Amino acid sequence: MVTPANKIISIQSHVAHGYVGNKVAGFVLQCQYWDVDLLNTVNFSNHTGYGSFKGQTTTGEQVLSLYEGLQDINVQYDAMLTGYIQGADGVEAMGKVCLDLKQRTPRILWLLDPVMGDEGELYVSADVIPAYRRILSYKKVDIITPNQYEAELLVGFSINNPADLDKALAVFHEDFNVMHVVISTFSFTKNKDFFYCVSSTKKSSKKPNFFKIPYMDSYFTGVGDLFSALLVDKIYRLPSGEPIEPAVSNALTIMEKVLDVTRRLCVDKLGVAVQGKIGDAETMKECELRIVECRQFYAMKDKNFNCETEISTDSQA
């Protein structure tokens, strides 16, 4: 017997060429048996890492108009995924959409990926920071997936040691009522061999869990978008009350396979391996995520990443 697919709305960027934002989420979620509605916050020729691009940003008014059209035909959803939005106007519109959907369907699952920057560099307008904080203050977000820099921007302080991390997680869990916090890239040090993914659940007596991840010798865009698309599916399918660590490990395992395939296929016209470099259109083009070629991985159940409850603050560890 054929069962209806779950329905999700994904509010993030779109590119004509390449794989970031909704170009990643749409296909990956469809492969995991989701009926996906895509609300695009930008419509660009390619992602900005190429050094040049053409296209338009969707205004907040346009986002709300598109949502109004969806409500006119009474579309209902089981989950929401929100990602890259360039300015506060768009972030606030996204917030209105998601808060309205939460009011209409309180059980709907909301994963918010606050895409703002990385490694100390902000690549959206600075006015999105207070806009995201306002959205979080309504206490309706179920899962948040910032990287370390984005988490620091949202809580308002640097995370340099375990005490800082505990304090930051408390802000998300207690002040913003976020059930699950997953910091996608994290480190107390500047170790160049590996970093961590951190997961934490509200009302859990356990300490945060750390997944150790080796660095890859290239630069890929859309990795966070892939992670959030995988994670919203894995967490949605968990039995009520189950810990999220198996879902995080599963998502990380799939990502490792996608990145391995992508890296092996990153070659130039002569068949020579290349590394992606920001601003270099040719290497960026060769190093786009191989989302289609990896379609067989998205439903896999493997969990190859073990979690730890403590990590060293020594950069040589």
Side-chain angles (χ1 to χ4, degrees), residues 242-253:
E242 288 293 307
I244 66 166
E245 281 66 37
V248 176
S249 179
N250 186 203
L252 291 172
T253 301

Side-chain angles (χ1 to χ4, degrees), residues 121-248:
E121 181 181 353
L122 195 68
Y123 43 65
V124 294
S125 173
D127 59 8
V128 304
I129 302 169
Y132 275 120
R133 287 176 180 162
R134 283 193 293 273
I135 288 172
L136 287 166
S137 72
Y138 288 106
K139 303 184 177 183
K140 298 296 183 182
V141 173
D142 299 294
I143 312 161
I144 191 167
T145 58
N147 59 39
Q148 183 173 351
Y149 176 58
E150 292 160 345
E152 291 171 339
L153 290 176
L154 292 173
V155 300
F157 55 85
S158 297
I159 305 173
N160 298 316
N161 53 56
D164 291 339
L165 177 59
D166 289 343
K167 182 181 175 183
L169 292 173
V171 172
F172 285 117
H173 289 317
E174 304 304 327
D175 296 357
F176 296 141
N177 196 39
V178 180
M179 180 58 68
H180 303 298
V181 179
V182 181
I183 303 178
S184 56
T185 56
F186 180 86
S187 180
F188 289 129
T189 68
K190 296 299 182 181
N191 192 299
K192 296 182 179 180
D193 296 323
F194 60 84
F195 61 95
Y196 292 93
C197 174
V198 182
S199 67
S200 177
T201 298
K202 186 181 179 183
K203 299 180 181 176
S204 171
S205 59
K206 297 180 180 179
K207 294 182 178 180
N209 286 287
F210 301 88
F211 299 83
K212 190 175 183 178
I213 304 167
Y215 274 112
M216 283 197 170
D217 56 351
S218 190
Y219 181 88
F220 305 106
T221 56
V223 176
D225 305 325
L226 173 60
F227 182 60
S228 61
L230 291 168
L231 194 62
V232 71
D233 169 74
K234 308 308 177 189
I235 292 180
Y236 181 85
R237 300 187 191 285
L238 284 175
S240 178
E242 288 293 307
I244 66 166
E245 281 66 37
V248 176

Side-chain angles (χ1 to χ4, degrees), residues 266-315:
C266 285
V267 295
D268 62 20
K269 295 176 182 178
L270 299 177
V272 178
V274 298
Q275 294 184 351
K277 297 177 182 177
I278 288 291
D280 184 339
E282 286 306 312
T283 60
M284 285 286 102
K285 191 160 52 178
E286 298 300 338
C287 293
E288 290 282 358
L289 293 178
R290 304 297 173 140
I291 294 297
V292 174
E293 291 89 336
C294 294
R295 63 194 181 281
Q296 71 271 24
F297 297 137
Y298 304 135
M300 67 183 294
K301 305 297 183 184
D302 301 49
K303 305 173 184 66
N304 297 342
F305 285 83
N306 298 320
C307 58
E308 310 167 27
T309 56
E310 293 183 2
I311 61 173
S312 174
T313 58
D314 183 354
S315 62

